[in-house]
Amino acid sequence: MNIHELNPAPNSKKGVKRVGRGLGSGRGKTSGRGENGQNKRSGGGTRPLFEGGQMSLIRRLPKRGFNNPYGDVFSIINVEDLEVFEDGTVVTAELLKEKRIIGKIEKSGLKVLGNGKLSKKLTVKANKFSKTAVKKIEKAGGKTEEA
């Protein structure tokens, strides 16, 4: 078989519908568009999601929440997540990212919360600590340093 011998499958190719070629053709005058109206005109019709003048769905639904431009955004970690480190390790946000415990270091830095138990003696450097986190880290014999 050669490329010049290839043919499309039978009935797969359809001829172009020629419109506007006189009344006798069956597709003359209005060319299959019906009588006058918005959709007959060039560029006619309505925009997507137009509901005929009814209040649109996006305007009927209530607004919820807001984004505080002055709010602090922290990468959050719990005390129990620090159990993976050896005794005496200095834990920083960069080390946590390297170990894939946090995904990214947020603009306000790292915050340590006090959920879970800690038995390792660690030095934790973060931008913010909760009171329970400080108690648990110091109870285990570690230190907290605010950056």
Side-chain angles (χ1 to χ4, degrees):
M1 179 181 286
N2 294 315
I3 197 150
H4 70 275
E5 296 171 347
L6 292 176
N7 285 320
N11 300 323
S12 68
K13 300 290 263 180
K14 220 172 187 181
V16 178
K17 198 184 280 185
R18 295 184 75 225
V19 296
R21 293 293 177 268
L23 293 174
S25 71
R27 294 258 179 256
K29 192 177 172 256
T30 53
S31 303
R33 288 178 178 262
E35 293 301 322
N36 293 358
Q38 178 174 227
N39 292 317
K40 179 191 172 187
R41 310 290 186 199
S42 169
T46 56
R47 65 184 182 274
L49 305 177
F50 181 66
E51 298 182 30
Q54 173 175 283
M55 182 72 72
S56 64
L57 179 66
I58 197 71
R59 291 177 64 197
R60 276 180 276 161
L61 298 174
K63 293 182 184 178
R64 294 296 304 263
F66 75 107
N67 290 322
N68 184 357
Y70 307 108
D72 290 334
V73 181
F74 290 98
S75 298
I76 293 175
I77 187 172
N78 278 300
V79 168
E80 65 188 1
D81 300 325
L82 302 174
E83 277 292 320
V84 296
F85 295 105
E86 303 280 323
D87 273 351
T89 308
V90 178
V91 180
T92 61
E94 289 76 22
L95 181 63
L96 292 166
K97 187 172 189 271
E98 191 180 299
K99 293 265 189 184
R100 295 186 174 200
I101 295 171
I102 58 173
K104 72 173 189 172
I105 302 168
E106 294 289 352
K107 66 175 185 174
S108 298
L110 179 69
K111 182 171 183 177
V112 182
L113 302 179
N115 193 23
K117 294 180 180 177
L118 181 66
S119 59
K120 308 280 176 76
K121 189 176 178 180
L122 304 170
T123 303
V124 184
K125 292 183 179 179
N127 298 79
K128 214 164 187 184
F129 292 90
S130 70
K131 290 176 187 172
T132 54
V134 172
K135 281 181 190 172
K136 288 182 181 182
I137 293 167
E138 289 176 354
K139 186 181 175 187
K143 284 189 260 173
T144 59
E145 293 178 21
E146 284 202 21

